[in-house]
Amino acid sequence: MSDIGVAEIPVDEEERPLPPPPPPAKNALVDGPILRTLLWLAWPNVIALTAGTCVVIAETSYIGRLGVESLAAMALVFPCVILTMTMSGGAMGGGVASAIARALGAGDTERASVLAAHALLIGLCFGLVFMLGMLIFGPKLLELLGGRGNVLAQAIGYTQIFFGGAVVPWLMNTMAGILRGTGNMKLPSLLMLISAGCQIILGGTLGLGLGPIPQFGMRGVAAGSLIAYLVSISVMTWYLFSGRARVVPKIVGLRIRWAMFIDILKVGAIACFSPLQSVLTISIFTYMLASFGTEILAGYGIGARLEFMLTSIAFAVGIATVPMVGMAIGAKRIARARRICWIAGGVAFVGVGALATLIAIFPDIWVNLFTDNAGVRAASRQYLSTAAPMYAFLGLATTCYFSSQGAAKVLGPVLAQTARLVFIGIGGWWLSTHNATATDYFMLTAASMMLLGLLSCVSVILTRWGPKHAPLAKARPALS
């Protein structure tokens, strides 16, 4: 009689069958309904970024009280600030979140902890690079962008303070990326909310002066931002290293492992080219508009801040896709990962597009918040009525970018940004040779937004997210 394996039924001491073990706990990011889970992760980000919007409004408002030259100075330095924040938060922060989410999706918590420690080292190094680069080369860069006279002096003053502490936003956004990679959106969002309140109070107080506090101008606005970021860093440091987070950065006894750096940088480093190209695009456009005068430049700066505010909504949705897509990829559920991308893209396109179209129809809702200068108001109205409806495509591109980060396949959206940069460069050169008006340049940037959104979608469609199928081994004939 042959031996047949029979599964044993677990019994208690009296040989009574035990109840079946409970099924393993499900991970909502991997198994839950996509839209509901996405919105559940995104809503804290939306609230926090709404607070960020209040910062944008308040900051532009009290800078406007410093004068038109201060508004123009902020328009000059704004691309550099946005580069720092988007590269540390959206690009490298997204790479950190992606690596940690993929490790957790595969069930490897130890690897996630080591990745978190390497991420902090990356944030520290990049912060130092930005600090030295902007302190040494920042003044010349601002002059190349068209800064002159008092406008340039105020822009340099802001740069010296903000980028003198560039390590601060880099560490803050790296820690937020670690938490988001675990699916924790609430704490980073809560801290963004608190930080926004601090920025408004401190930036306004130090910038305009209050009681015995003197007016520090643009330097005071920059200092208020850094102090607010330090508050967030303090809380996140305590939370991460107290063991309350799902991942604790493994600092003690850490051995540098290049494979960990590569796992983060293969997404984060490539992703950094997207905000870099985005800022280059804005910088080129700013340079083109500088020739039309301070009022046009300041008016564009007000419109660009609305662009930043509304694309923050897409950021809130997009950053929520990083852990969802990353964990789905780690669990080898490729079809679900793609569905997450398209659902998020639809949410961002409709949400951003609806608000932007409203402002395009009624631009004074936004413009009246910042200035009463007739020339600046006219330029802002013209820019918003022309470009704002196309912000929906920026929202779509943003979600494709973040979803691709979660899948560790971010090259396609980055190349889409390259195409936009080339389009702006060639189109701007052509307009400059044909005596174009500022309105013509506004139409150029609107067309570039549509191009970016469509190409980002195409890149997701054409990129393989799953593992490559290994070729089947050829069968050998049996020996006789």
Side-chain angles (χ1 to χ4, degrees), residues 383-445:
Y383 176 77
L384 291 172
S385 62
T386 304
M390 298 298 106
Y391 290 173
F393 289 93
L394 290 182
L396 181 59
T398 300
T399 52
C400 288
Y401 168 72
F402 280 112
S403 296
S404 298
Q405 280 187 330
K409 301 289 184 180
V410 78
L411 180 60
V414 170
L415 292 177
Q417 190 68 255
T418 303
R420 184 196 182 196
L421 175 61
V422 172
F423 180 79
I424 284 285
I426 295 175
W429 170 81
W430 188 86
L431 289 175
S432 68
T433 61
H434 288 75
N435 298 320
T437 64
T439 302
D440 295 323
Y441 285 93
F442 295 161
M443 293 177 66
L444 174 68
T445 193

Short mmCIF file of all heavy atoms in Angstrom, two decimals, residues 383-445:
data_model
loop_
_atom_site.label_atom_id
_atom_site.label_comp_id
_atom_site.label_asym_id
_atom_site.label_seq_id
_atom_site.Cartn_x
_atom_site.Cartn_y
_atom_site.Cartn_z
N TYR A 383 -3.77 86.58 -18.57
CA TYR A 383 -3.09 85.28 -18.42
C TYR A 383 -4.07 84.20 -17.96
O TYR A 383 -4.09 83.09 -18.50
CB TYR A 383 -1.94 85.40 -17.43
CG TYR A 383 -1.26 84.06 -17.17
CD1 TYR A 383 -0.38 83.52 -18.10
CD2 TYR A 383 -1.54 83.33 -16.02
CE1 TYR A 383 0.22 82.29 -17.88
CE2 TYR A 383 -0.96 82.10 -15.79
CZ TYR A 383 -0.08 81.58 -16.72
OH TYR A 383 0.50 80.36 -16.51
N LEU A 384 -4.88 84.52 -16.97
CA LEU A 384 -5.80 83.53 -16.41
C LEU A 384 -6.87 83.13 -17.41
O LEU A 384 -7.22 81.95 -17.52
CB LEU A 384 -6.44 84.08 -15.13
CG LEU A 384 -5.48 84.22 -13.94
CD1 LEU A 384 -6.16 84.95 -12.79
CD2 LEU A 384 -4.97 82.86 -13.48
N SER A 385 -7.42 84.09 -18.13
CA SER A 385 -8.46 83.75 -19.10
C SER A 385 -7.92 82.90 -20.24
O SER A 385 -8.64 82.11 -20.85
CB SER A 385 -9.09 85.02 -19.66
OG SER A 385 -8.13 85.80 -20.35
N THR A 386 -6.62 83.01 -20.52
CA THR A 386 -6.00 82.26 -21.60
C THR A 386 -5.51 80.88 -21.15
O THR A 386 -5.77 79.86 -21.79
CB THR A 386 -4.80 83.03 -22.19
OG1 THR A 386 -5.24 84.32 -22.62
CG2 THR A 386 -4.19 82.28 -23.36
N ALA A 387 -4.79 80.84 -20.02
CA ALA A 387 -4.09 79.62 -19.62
C ALA A 387 -4.82 78.77 -18.60
O ALA A 387 -4.65 77.54 -18.57
CB ALA A 387 -2.71 79.99 -19.07
N ALA A 388 -5.64 79.38 -17.73
CA ALA A 388 -6.23 78.62 -16.62
C ALA A 388 -7.04 77.40 -17.05
O ALA A 388 -6.96 76.36 -16.39
CB ALA A 388 -7.08 79.55 -15.76
N PRO A 389 -7.84 77.44 -18.14
CA PRO A 389 -8.59 76.23 -18.51
C PRO A 389 -7.70 75.01 -18.80
O PRO A 389 -8.16 73.88 -18.70
CB PRO A 389 -9.35 76.66 -19.78
CG PRO A 389 -9.49 78.14 -19.64
CD PRO A 389 -8.22 78.58 -18.99
N MET A 390 -6.43 75.27 -19.15
CA MET A 390 -5.52 74.16 -19.46
C MET A 390 -4.86 73.56 -18.22
O MET A 390 -4.13 72.58 -18.31
CB MET A 390 -4.42 74.64 -20.42
CG MET A 390 -4.94 75.12 -21.77
SD MET A 390 -5.78 73.82 -22.71
CE MET A 390 -7.50 74.34 -22.51
N TYR A 391 -5.13 74.13 -17.05
CA TYR A 391 -4.56 73.57 -15.82
C TYR A 391 -5.04 72.14 -15.59
O TYR A 391 -4.38 71.35 -14.89
CB TYR A 391 -4.95 74.43 -14.61
CG TYR A 391 -4.29 75.78 -14.55
CD1 TYR A 391 -4.67 76.71 -13.58
CD2 TYR A 391 -3.29 76.15 -15.44
CE1 TYR A 391 -4.09 77.96 -13.51
CE2 TYR A 391 -2.70 77.40 -15.37
CZ TYR A 391 -3.09 78.30 -14.40
OH TYR A 391 -2.51 79.54 -14.33
N ALA A 392 -6.21 71.78 -16.16
CA ALA A 392 -6.71 70.41 -16.01
C ALA A 392 -5.71 69.40 -16.54
O ALA A 392 -5.52 68.32 -15.96
CB ALA A 392 -8.04 70.26 -16.74
N PHE A 393 -5.01 69.75 -17.63
CA PHE A 393 -4.01 68.85 -18.20
C PHE A 393 -2.78 68.75 -17.31
O PHE A 393 -2.13 67.70 -17.26
CB PHE A 393 -3.63 69.31 -19.61
CG PHE A 393 -4.73 69.09 -20.62
CD1 PHE A 393 -5.63 70.11 -20.91
CD2 PHE A 393 -4.87 67.87 -21.26
CE1 PHE A 393 -6.65 69.91 -21.82
CE2 PHE A 393 -5.89 67.67 -22.18
CZ PHE A 393 -6.79 68.68 -22.46
N LEU A 394 -2.46 69.83 -16.59
CA LEU A 394 -1.39 69.74 -15.61
C LEU A 394 -1.76 68.78 -14.49
O LEU A 394 -0.92 68.02 -13.99
CB LEU A 394 -1.09 71.13 -15.03
CG LEU A 394 -0.43 72.15 -15.95
CD1 LEU A 394 -0.16 73.44 -15.18
CD2 LEU A 394 0.86 71.61 -16.54
N GLY A 395 -3.04 68.81 -14.08
CA GLY A 395 -3.50 67.87 -13.06
C GLY A 395 -3.38 66.43 -13.52
O GLY A 395 -2.93 65.55 -12.77
N LEU A 396 -3.75 66.18 -14.76
CA LEU A 396 -3.64 64.83 -15.33
C LEU A 396 -2.18 64.39 -15.39
O LEU A 396 -1.85 63.25 -15.03
CB LEU A 396 -4.26 64.83 -16.73
CG LEU A 396 -4.26 63.51 -17.50
CD1 LEU A 396 -5.02 62.44 -16.74
CD2 LEU A 396 -4.86 63.72 -18.88
N ALA A 397 -1.30 65.27 -15.84
CA ALA A 397 0.13 64.95 -15.93
C ALA A 397 0.72 64.66 -14.55
O ALA A 397 1.55 63.76 -14.39
CB ALA A 397 0.89 66.09 -16.60
N THR A 398 0.27 65.40 -13.54
CA THR A 398 0.79 65.22 -12.19
C THR A 398 0.47 63.83 -11.64
O THR A 398 1.33 63.16 -11.05
CB THR A 398 0.22 66.30 -11.25
OG1 THR A 398 0.60 67.58 -11.73
CG2 THR A 398 0.73 66.13 -9.83
N THR A 399 -0.76 63.36 -11.83
CA THR A 399 -1.13 62.04 -11.33
C THR A 399 -0.42 60.93 -12.09
O THR A 399 -0.03 59.91 -11.50
CB THR A 399 -2.65 61.84 -11.39
OG1 THR A 399 -3.11 62.14 -12.71
CG2 THR A 399 -3.37 62.73 -10.41
N CYS A 400 -0.24 61.10 -13.40
CA CYS A 400 0.53 60.10 -14.17
C CYS A 400 1.97 60.03 -13.67
O CYS A 400 2.55 58.94 -13.57
CB CYS A 400 0.52 60.45 -15.66
SG CYS A 400 -1.07 60.20 -16.48
N TYR A 401 2.52 61.18 -13.33
CA TYR A 401 3.90 61.26 -12.83
C TYR A 401 4.05 60.51 -11.50
O TYR A 401 4.95 59.68 -11.33
CB TYR A 401 4.26 62.74 -12.68
CG TYR A 401 5.51 63.07 -11.93
CD1 TYR A 401 6.76 62.82 -12.48
CD2 TYR A 401 5.44 63.69 -10.69
CE1 TYR A 401 7.91 63.17 -11.80
CE2 TYR A 401 6.59 64.05 -10.01
CZ TYR A 401 7.82 63.78 -10.56
OH TYR A 401 8.96 64.14 -9.88
N PHE A 402 3.13 60.76 -10.57
CA PHE A 402 3.22 60.11 -9.26
C PHE A 402 2.91 58.62 -9.34
O PHE A 402 3.55 57.80 -8.68
CB PHE A 402 2.30 60.80 -8.25
CG PHE A 402 2.88 62.05 -7.67
CD1 PHE A 402 2.32 63.29 -7.97
CD2 PHE A 402 3.97 62.00 -6.84
CE1 PHE A 402 2.86 64.46 -7.45
CE2 PHE A 402 4.52 63.16 -6.31
CZ PHE A 402 3.96 64.39 -6.62
N SER A 403 1.93 58.24 -10.14
CA SER A 403 1.62 56.82 -10.30
C SER A 403 2.81 56.08 -10.89
O SER A 403 3.12 54.95 -10.49
CB SER A 403 0.39 56.64 -11.18
OG SER A 403 -0.76 57.20 -10.58
N SER A 404 3.49 56.71 -11.83
CA SER A 404 4.67 56.10 -12.43
C SER A 404 5.79 55.98 -11.41
O SER A 404 6.60 55.04 -11.46
CB SER A 404 5.14 56.92 -13.63
OG SER A 404 4.15 56.94 -14.64
N GLN A 405 5.87 56.91 -10.47
CA GLN A 405 6.84 56.78 -9.38
C GLN A 405 6.55 55.53 -8.56
O GLN A 405 7.46 54.77 -8.22
CB GLN A 405 6.78 58.00 -8.47
CG GLN A 405 7.52 59.21 -8.98
CD GLN A 405 7.58 60.32 -7.96
OE1 GLN A 405 6.68 60.45 -7.11
NE2 GLN A 405 8.60 61.12 -8.00
N GLY A 406 5.28 55.32 -8.23
CA GLY A 406 4.92 54.14 -7.45
C GLY A 406 5.30 52.86 -8.16
O GLY A 406 5.68 51.86 -7.53
N ALA A 407 5.21 52.87 -9.50
CA ALA A 407 5.56 51.69 -10.29
C ALA A 407 7.05 51.62 -10.58
O ALA A 407 7.51 50.66 -11.22
CB ALA A 407 4.78 51.70 -11.60
N ALA A 408 7.83 52.61 -10.15
CA ALA A 408 9.27 52.70 -10.42
C ALA A 408 9.53 52.77 -11.93
O ALA A 408 10.53 52.24 -12.42
CB ALA A 408 10.03 51.53 -9.79
N LYS A 409 8.64 53.44 -12.66
CA LYS A 409 8.77 53.59 -14.12
C LYS A 409 8.49 55.04 -14.49
O LYS A 409 7.53 55.34 -15.20
CB LYS A 409 7.78 52.66 -14.83
CG LYS A 409 7.95 51.19 -14.53
CD LYS A 409 9.21 50.61 -15.17
CE LYS A 409 9.29 49.11 -14.93
NZ LYS A 409 10.51 48.53 -15.54
N VAL A 410 9.32 55.95 -14.03
CA VAL A 410 9.01 57.37 -14.11
C VAL A 410 9.61 58.05 -15.34
O VAL A 410 9.35 59.23 -15.59
CB VAL A 410 9.49 58.07 -12.81
CG1 VAL A 410 11.00 58.29 -12.83
CG2 VAL A 410 8.76 59.37 -12.57
N LEU A 411 10.38 57.33 -16.15
CA LEU A 411 11.07 57.95 -17.27
C LEU A 411 10.10 58.57 -18.28
O LEU A 411 10.34 59.66 -18.80
CB LEU A 411 11.96 56.92 -17.97
CG LEU A 411 12.76 57.43 -19.17
CD1 LEU A 411 13.71 58.56 -18.75
CD2 LEU A 411 13.55 56.29 -19.82
N GLY A 412 8.99 57.89 -18.56
CA GLY A 412 8.04 58.40 -19.56
C GLY A 412 7.50 59.77 -19.22
O GLY A 412 7.56 60.70 -20.06
N PRO A 413 6.93 60.00 -18.01
CA PRO A 413 6.45 61.33 -17.66
C PRO A 413 7.55 62.40 -17.66
O PRO A 413 7.29 63.56 -17.95
CB PRO A 413 5.86 61.13 -16.25
CG PRO A 413 5.45 59.70 -16.23
CD PRO A 413 6.49 58.98 -17.03
N VAL A 414 8.79 62.00 -17.32
CA VAL A 414 9.89 62.95 -17.36
C VAL A 414 10.18 63.38 -18.80
O VAL A 414 10.40 64.56 -19.08
CB VAL A 414 11.15 62.33 -16.71
CG1 VAL A 414 12.38 63.22 -16.96
CG2 VAL A 414 10.94 62.16 -15.21
N LEU A 415 10.13 62.42 -19.74
CA LEU A 415 10.34 62.76 -21.15
C LEU A 415 9.20 63.64 -21.68
O LEU A 415 9.41 64.48 -22.56
CB LEU A 415 10.46 61.49 -21.98
CG LEU A 415 11.73 60.66 -21.73
CD1 LEU A 415 11.71 59.40 -22.56
CD2 LEU A 415 12.98 61.48 -22.03
N ALA A 416 7.99 63.44 -21.14
CA ALA A 416 6.88 64.31 -21.52
C ALA A 416 7.17 65.75 -21.10
O ALA A 416 6.87 66.70 -21.83
CB ALA A 416 5.58 63.81 -20.88
N GLN A 417 7.76 65.92 -19.92
CA GLN A 417 8.15 67.25 -19.46
C GLN A 417 9.25 67.83 -20.35
O GLN A 417 9.28 69.04 -20.62
CB GLN A 417 8.62 67.17 -18.01
CG GLN A 417 8.84 68.49 -17.33
CD GLN A 417 7.57 69.26 -17.10
OE1 GLN A 417 7.31 70.24 -17.80
NE2 GLN A 417 6.77 68.85 -16.14
N THR A 418 10.15 66.96 -20.83
CA THR A 418 11.19 67.41 -21.76
C THR A 418 10.57 67.95 -23.04
O THR A 418 11.00 68.98 -23.57
CB THR A 418 12.13 66.24 -22.10
OG1 THR A 418 12.70 65.70 -20.90
CG2 THR A 418 13.26 66.71 -23.00
N ALA A 419 9.56 67.24 -23.54
CA ALA A 419 8.88 67.69 -24.76
C ALA A 419 8.24 69.06 -24.55
O ALA A 419 8.27 69.92 -25.44
CB ALA A 419 7.83 66.65 -25.18
N ARG A 420 7.66 69.28 -23.37
CA ARG A 420 7.06 70.59 -23.09
C ARG A 420 8.12 71.68 -23.07
O ARG A 420 7.91 72.78 -23.60
CB ARG A 420 6.33 70.54 -21.75
CG ARG A 420 5.59 71.84 -21.45
CD ARG A 420 5.18 71.97 -20.00
NE ARG A 420 4.44 73.20 -19.78
CZ ARG A 420 4.21 73.74 -18.60
NH1 ARG A 420 4.65 73.14 -17.50
NH2 ARG A 420 3.53 74.86 -18.48
N LEU A 421 9.28 71.39 -22.46
CA LEU A 421 10.35 72.37 -22.39
C LEU A 421 10.83 72.74 -23.79
O LEU A 421 11.01 73.93 -24.10
CB LEU A 421 11.51 71.79 -21.57
CG LEU A 421 12.79 72.63 -21.49
CD1 LEU A 421 12.52 73.97 -20.85
CD2 LEU A 421 13.86 71.87 -20.71
N VAL A 422 11.02 71.74 -24.64
CA VAL A 422 11.45 72.00 -26.02
C VAL A 422 10.39 72.82 -26.76
O VAL A 422 10.70 73.75 -27.51
CB VAL A 422 11.73 70.68 -26.75
CG1 VAL A 422 12.00 70.92 -28.23
CG2 VAL A 422 12.92 69.96 -26.11
N PHE A 423 9.13 72.48 -26.54
CA PHE A 423 8.02 73.19 -27.19
C PHE A 423 8.00 74.66 -26.80
O PHE A 423 7.86 75.55 -27.65
CB PHE A 423 6.70 72.51 -26.81
CG PHE A 423 5.48 73.13 -27.41
CD1 PHE A 423 5.12 72.87 -28.72
CD2 PHE A 423 4.67 73.98 -26.66
CE1 PHE A 423 3.99 73.45 -29.29
CE2 PHE A 423 3.53 74.56 -27.21
CZ PHE A 423 3.19 74.29 -28.53
N ILE A 424 8.19 74.94 -25.50
CA ILE A 424 8.22 76.32 -25.02
C ILE A 424 9.43 77.06 -25.60
O ILE A 424 9.33 78.22 -26.03
CB ILE A 424 8.26 76.35 -23.48
CG1 ILE A 424 6.88 76.02 -22.89
CG2 ILE A 424 8.73 77.71 -22.97
CD1 ILE A 424 5.87 77.13 -22.99
N GLY A 425 10.59 76.37 -25.62
CA GLY A 425 11.80 77.01 -26.12
C GLY A 425 11.69 77.39 -27.59
O GLY A 425 11.97 78.53 -27.98
N ILE A 426 11.26 76.42 -28.41
CA ILE A 426 11.15 76.69 -29.85
C ILE A 426 10.03 77.69 -30.12
O ILE A 426 10.18 78.63 -30.91
CB ILE A 426 10.91 75.37 -30.61
CG1 ILE A 426 12.14 74.46 -30.48
CG2 ILE A 426 10.61 75.64 -32.08
CD1 ILE A 426 11.96 73.10 -31.11
N GLY A 427 8.88 77.49 -29.47
CA GLY A 427 7.77 78.40 -29.67
C GLY A 427 8.08 79.81 -29.22
O GLY A 427 7.72 80.79 -29.89
N GLY A 428 8.78 79.93 -28.09
CA GLY A 428 9.14 81.25 -27.60
C GLY A 428 10.12 81.95 -28.53
O GLY A 428 10.02 83.17 -28.77
N TRP A 429 11.08 81.18 -29.07
CA TRP A 429 12.02 81.76 -30.03
C TRP A 429 11.28 82.26 -31.27
O TRP A 429 11.54 83.35 -31.76
CB TRP A 429 13.06 80.71 -30.42
CG TRP A 429 13.91 81.15 -31.58
CD1 TRP A 429 14.99 81.98 -31.56
CD2 TRP A 429 13.70 80.79 -32.96
NE1 TRP A 429 15.47 82.17 -32.83
CE2 TRP A 429 14.70 81.44 -33.72
CE3 TRP A 429 12.78 79.98 -33.61
CZ2 TRP A 429 14.80 81.30 -35.09
CZ3 TRP A 429 12.87 79.84 -34.98
CH2 TRP A 429 13.87 80.49 -35.72
N TRP A 430 10.34 81.47 -31.75
CA TRP A 430 9.59 81.86 -32.95
C TRP A 430 8.78 83.13 -32.69
O TRP A 430 8.76 84.04 -33.52
CB TRP A 430 8.67 80.72 -33.38
CG TRP A 430 8.01 80.96 -34.71
CD1 TRP A 430 8.49 80.67 -35.94
CD2 TRP A 430 6.71 81.57 -34.90
NE1 TRP A 430 7.59 81.06 -36.92
CE2 TRP A 430 6.48 81.61 -36.31
CE3 TRP A 430 5.73 82.07 -34.05
CZ2 TRP A 430 5.32 82.13 -36.85
CZ3 TRP A 430 4.58 82.61 -34.60
CH2 TRP A 430 4.37 82.63 -35.99
N LEU A 431 8.14 83.20 -31.53
CA LEU A 431 7.35 84.39 -31.19
C LEU A 431 8.24 85.63 -31.08
O LEU A 431 7.84 86.74 -31.47
CB LEU A 431 6.58 84.17 -29.89
CG LEU A 431 5.41 83.18 -29.94
CD1 LEU A 431 4.82 82.97 -28.54
CD2 LEU A 431 4.32 83.64 -30.91
N SER A 432 9.43 85.44 -30.52
CA SER A 432 10.33 86.59 -30.35
C SER A 432 10.79 87.17 -31.67
O SER A 432 11.20 88.34 -31.73
CB SER A 432 11.55 86.17 -29.51
OG SER A 432 12.36 85.27 -30.24
N THR A 433 10.75 86.38 -32.73
CA THR A 433 11.17 86.87 -34.05
C THR A 433 10.00 87.44 -34.86
O THR A 433 10.20 87.87 -36.00
CB THR A 433 11.83 85.73 -34.85
OG1 THR A 433 10.88 84.66 -35.04
CG2 THR A 433 13.06 85.21 -34.13
N HIS A 434 8.80 87.40 -34.28
CA HIS A 434 7.61 87.86 -35.01
C HIS A 434 6.84 88.95 -34.25
O HIS A 434 5.63 89.09 -34.41
CB HIS A 434 6.67 86.68 -35.31
CG HIS A 434 7.19 85.75 -36.36
ND1 HIS A 434 8.20 84.84 -36.10
CD2 HIS A 434 6.85 85.59 -37.67
CE1 HIS A 434 8.44 84.15 -37.21
NE2 HIS A 434 7.66 84.59 -38.17
N ASN A 435 7.56 89.68 -33.38
CA ASN A 435 6.95 90.82 -32.66
C ASN A 435 5.66 90.42 -31.95
O ASN A 435 4.63 91.10 -32.02
CB ASN A 435 6.67 91.98 -33.63
CG ASN A 435 7.94 92.52 -34.26
OD1 ASN A 435 8.96 92.64 -33.58
ND2 ASN A 435 7.88 92.83 -35.55
N ALA A 436 5.69 89.29 -31.24
CA ALA A 436 4.50 88.78 -30.56
C ALA A 436 4.18 89.63 -29.34
O ALA A 436 5.05 90.29 -28.75
CB ALA A 436 4.72 87.33 -30.15
N THR A 437 2.94 89.60 -28.92
CA THR A 437 2.49 90.29 -27.71
C THR A 437 2.57 89.33 -26.53
O THR A 437 2.79 88.13 -26.68
CB THR A 437 1.05 90.77 -27.88
OG1 THR A 437 0.19 89.63 -28.02
CG2 THR A 437 0.92 91.66 -29.11
N ALA A 438 2.35 89.87 -25.32
CA ALA A 438 2.34 89.03 -24.12
C ALA A 438 1.23 87.99 -24.21
O ALA A 438 1.39 86.84 -23.75
CB ALA A 438 2.16 89.89 -22.88
N THR A 439 0.10 88.35 -24.81
CA THR A 439 -1.01 87.39 -24.97
C THR A 439 -0.59 86.19 -25.80
O THR A 439 -1.00 85.05 -25.52
CB THR A 439 -2.21 88.09 -25.62
OG1 THR A 439 -2.60 89.20 -24.82
CG2 THR A 439 -3.39 87.12 -25.75
N ASP A 440 0.23 86.40 -26.81
CA ASP A 440 0.72 85.29 -27.63
C ASP A 440 1.55 84.32 -26.79
O ASP A 440 1.46 83.10 -26.95
CB ASP A 440 1.56 85.82 -28.80
CG ASP A 440 0.74 86.65 -29.77
OD1 ASP A 440 -0.44 86.31 -30.00
OD2 ASP A 440 1.28 87.65 -30.29
N TYR A 441 2.34 84.86 -25.89
CA TYR A 441 3.14 84.00 -25.01
C TYR A 441 2.23 83.24 -24.03
O TYR A 441 2.50 82.08 -23.69
CB TYR A 441 4.17 84.82 -24.24
CG TYR A 441 5.34 85.25 -25.08
CD1 TYR A 441 5.36 86.48 -25.73
CD2 TYR A 441 6.45 84.42 -25.23
CE1 TYR A 441 6.43 86.88 -26.51
CE2 TYR A 441 7.54 84.80 -26.00
CZ TYR A 441 7.52 86.04 -26.64
OH TYR A 441 8.59 86.41 -27.42
N PHE A 442 1.17 83.88 -23.58
CA PHE A 442 0.22 83.20 -22.70
C PHE A 442 -0.43 82.01 -23.44
O PHE A 442 -0.64 80.94 -22.85
CB PHE A 442 -0.86 84.18 -22.23
CG PHE A 442 -0.34 85.29 -21.36
CD1 PHE A 442 -1.08 86.46 -21.18
CD2 PHE A 442 0.88 85.18 -20.71
CE1 PHE A 442 -0.62 87.48 -20.37
CE2 PHE A 442 1.36 86.21 -19.90
CZ PHE A 442 0.61 87.36 -19.74
N MET A 443 -0.74 82.20 -24.71
CA MET A 443 -1.32 81.11 -25.50
C MET A 443 -0.32 79.97 -25.69
O MET A 443 -0.69 78.80 -25.70
CB MET A 443 -1.80 81.64 -26.85
CG MET A 443 -2.98 82.61 -26.76
SD MET A 443 -3.47 83.29 -28.36
CE MET A 443 -4.06 81.81 -29.17
N LEU A 444 0.95 80.32 -25.81
CA LEU A 444 1.99 79.30 -25.95
C LEU A 444 2.06 78.41 -24.71
O LEU A 444 2.10 77.18 -24.82
CB LEU A 444 3.35 79.99 -26.17
CG LEU A 444 4.57 79.05 -26.19
CD1 LEU A 444 4.55 78.15 -27.41
CD2 LEU A 444 5.87 79.88 -26.15
N THR A 445 2.04 79.01 -23.53
CA THR A 445 2.13 78.19 -22.31
C THR A 445 0.87 77.36 -22.12
O THR A 445 0.93 76.23 -21.63
CB THR A 445 2.40 79.07 -21.08
OG1 THR A 445 2.78 78.23 -19.98
CG2 THR A 445 1.21 79.90 -20.68
#
